[in-house]
Amino acid sequence: MFKKILIANRGEIALRIIWACRELGIQTVAIYSTADSDSLHVKFADEDICIGPPRNADSYLNIGAVIAAAEITDADAIHPGYGFLAESAHFAEVCEACRIRFIGPAPNMIRLMGDKAKARETMLAAGVPIIPGSRGTVGDEQEALPLATRIGYPVIVKAAAGGGGRGMRVVNSPEELTSAMSAARTEAKAAFGVPDVYIEKYLKTPRHIEFQILGDSYGNIVTLGERECSIQRRHQKIVEESPSTALTPKLRRRMAEVALKVARTVGYQNAGTVEFLLDEEGRFFFIEMNTRIQVEHPVTEMVTGIDLIKEQIKIAAGESLAFRQEDIQTTGHSIECRVNAEDPETFAPSPGKITTFHLPGGPGVRVDTAAHPECTISPYYDSMIAKLITRGNNRMEAISRMRRSLEVMVVEGIRTNIPLHRRIMVDADFIRGNLHTGFLDRLLERKEEAAVAS
Ligand code: ADP
């Protein structure tokens, strides 16, 4: 087992990894930018090193500085968390070349799945259902126009290197296609450095259902069941739950089989997530595989009792999985609300100093956060300040626990989306489990309609 792990991240996920390391008796090293010197991950790690100024490119994405910090502290592994360098195949290669274990899959796996157009082709060849669309990337509108006509509008133009819901454009007619393609290419180039795009049929009211995978270095691959992540804003998840209300035991088994097939096709190692869209007729399609720990991993932990970060570390250290598929039992229901520092009406980021901070607790409540009273939410980084997670013996109990938690959670000094979460938790469609990826837009439209009528 590793003696010392450097955590190449910040915020709640850096703390989450520190807790796992402590439980495993592993020393930790925090890295931080000058904007994060008072952060909790710096306080709670055994060692800490400042790696540069606030801008991502100068600190958390600066591979030279991260590797230097690992060398100086003699860390034998790096956990990348999510975001930042977590899906950089190049970074994973540099770690290997420096004989530092990268806690995640091999670089070639990250590279394959990081190119979503290539991943689609690979899965098509393996007999995995994918959404009708282009084979690989599309170069220009000459190629795109006949293709879009063939698959039928609406279509969606997506960045091959995409992530976080960026670089996507829905196109309703041929007239919109040219400008959508150039907008998606520009956005993709700016966000990911690669302008390549591909096209898929746009499904109108799908659900986003994803399966958690764990694979060790001995070819053992299991799934820990699904998460429903249909409550999204601009293709970014805000509320997730497990299990999904949409899956019958039969459909769950079929989807799990396909998720395992995706992972087996590439010989997947470490933690990963196979994402599907599920349509109203019960047809499901692979959209991508994420080769890292996901923000929403806690809901899976809450229903399976398996600590995913500890599993990631054990797998990277060469241990075999301690359980087989038949040993994995899910019980109860878990929900996660992402609490963001943003205006609940306009969704504009709301950085600043937190003056009052009170967290809920009690049975079935977990909060993953690095925020605390008097801390400053930096404008440089992600606006998510906490993940509020509840578990109940059934879905309604998980919802009641979320409602009472949201009622007593106090964050003052900045604005947050807690009021939005309170609305979601009492919404009739949400309670019925009547969800799709357009759910939140409809909820927000209803509020506007009510405002106009009054
Ligand atoms: P990212 O990697 O940026 O997260 P994904 O491919 O995982 O992108 O898609 C994110 C979200 O975008 C999905 O959960 C869904 O809401 C929407 N989306 C993506 N592809 C389609 C599609 N073909 N039809 C309808 N919605 C889609």
Side-chain angles (χ1 to χ4, degrees), residues 29 34 123 165 177 268 299 349 353 360 374 443:
V29 181
T34 48
M123 292 311 146
L177 191 61
Y268 196 80
V299 295
K353 188 170 177 175
E374 303 287 303
L443 185 95

Side-chain angles (χ1 to χ4, degrees), residues 87 116 120 131-132 154-168 170 192 198-210 229-230 232 234-237 275-277 287-290 292 436-438:
E87 284 163 294
K116 291 161 65 172
R120 257 172 71 85
I131 301 178
V155 299
I156 182 167
V157 180
K158 298 169 76 170
R166 283 173 303 171
M168 269 186 236
V170 180
F192 315 108
Y198 63 106
I199 291 184
E200 274 176 7
K201 171 90 185 151
Y202 182 69
L203 306 182
K204 283 225 179 89
T205 48
R207 289 174 178 253
H208 176 117
I209 311 269
E210 58 183 37
C229 312
S230 300
Q232 307 178 347
R234 301 215 168 133
H235 309 304
Q236 282 233 47
K237 303 158 187 169
E275 297 192 335
F276 296 108
L277 292 183
I287 47 169
E288 65 165 340
M289 181 167 192
N290 288 320
R292 55 167 159 83
H436 56 81
T437 55

Side-chain angles (χ1 to χ4, degrees), residues 164-306:
R166 283 173 303 171
M168 269 186 236
R169 285 286 182 290
V170 180
V171 183
N172 291 300
S173 67
E175 293 73 47
E176 292 171 24
L177 191 61
T178 309
S179 65
M181 278 196 49
S182 81
R185 290 176 77 86
T186 309
E187 201 173 312
K189 174 82 182 145
F192 315 108
V194 186
D196 297 349
V197 295
Y198 63 106
I199 291 184
E200 274 176 7
K201 171 90 185 151
Y202 182 69
L203 306 182
K204 283 225 179 89
T205 48
R207 289 174 178 253
H208 176 117
I209 311 269
E210 58 183 37
F211 279 74
Q212 178 67 51
I213 297 287
L214 282 179
D216 65 17
S217 347
Y218 309 95
N220 303 304
I221 298 181
V222 296
T223 174
L224 276 67
E226 83 277 9
R227 294 183 286 260
E228 162 126 27
C229 312
S230 300
I231 305 185
Q232 307 178 347
R233 183 174 171 273
R234 301 215 168 133
H235 309 304
Q236 282 233 47
K237 303 158 187 169
I238 338 198
V239 177
E240 305 94 352
E241 64 182 298
S242 185
S244 162
T245 57
L247 305 195
T248 58
K250 192 168 156 217
L251 182 54
R252 177 171 296 114
R253 260 197 313 277
R254 278 178 47 222
M255 292 182 79
E257 266 315 308
V258 176
L260 286 168
K261 185 174 188 173
V262 169
R264 286 192 195 113
T265 299
V266 295
Y268 196 80
Q269 289 179 22
N270 216 286
T273 297
V274 178
E275 297 192 335
F276 296 108
L277 292 183
L278 171 70
D279 74 11
E280 282 167 358
E281 280 90 59
R283 287 176 300 196
F284 59 91
F285 309 92
F286 167 84
I287 47 169
E288 65 165 340
M289 181 167 192
N290 288 320
T291 55
R292 55 167 159 83
I293 195 73
Q294 305 258 114
V295 174
E296 59 273 22
H297 76 275
V299 295
T300 300
E301 296 184 325
M302 300 298 267
V303 296
T304 59
I306 292 171

Side-chain angles (χ1 to χ4, degrees), residues 318-364:
E319 289 187 19
S320 56
L321 287 176
F323 38 80
R324 286 160 306 176
Q325 189 65 59
E326 55 271 30
D327 301 324
I328 299 165
Q329 301 283 343
T330 60
T331 55
H333 200 100
S334 180
I335 303 177
E336 171 182 280
C337 289
R338 298 189 189 190
V339 177
N340 295 338
E342 65 192 17
D343 186 297
E345 306 285 326
T346 63
F347 296 96
S350 176
K353 188 170 177 175
I354 295 182
T355 51
T356 313
F357 192 64
H358 176 76
L359 290 180

Side-chain angles (χ1 to χ4, degrees), residues 390-408:
T390 61
R391 184 194 179 284
N393 288 321
N394 52 52
R395 186 166 185 264
M396 212 47 231
E397 189 173 47
I399 294 176
S400 317
R401 286 182 167 157
M402 187 59 82
R403 285 185 192 151
R404 70 150 168 88
S405 299
L406 290 163
E407 273 161 26
V408 300

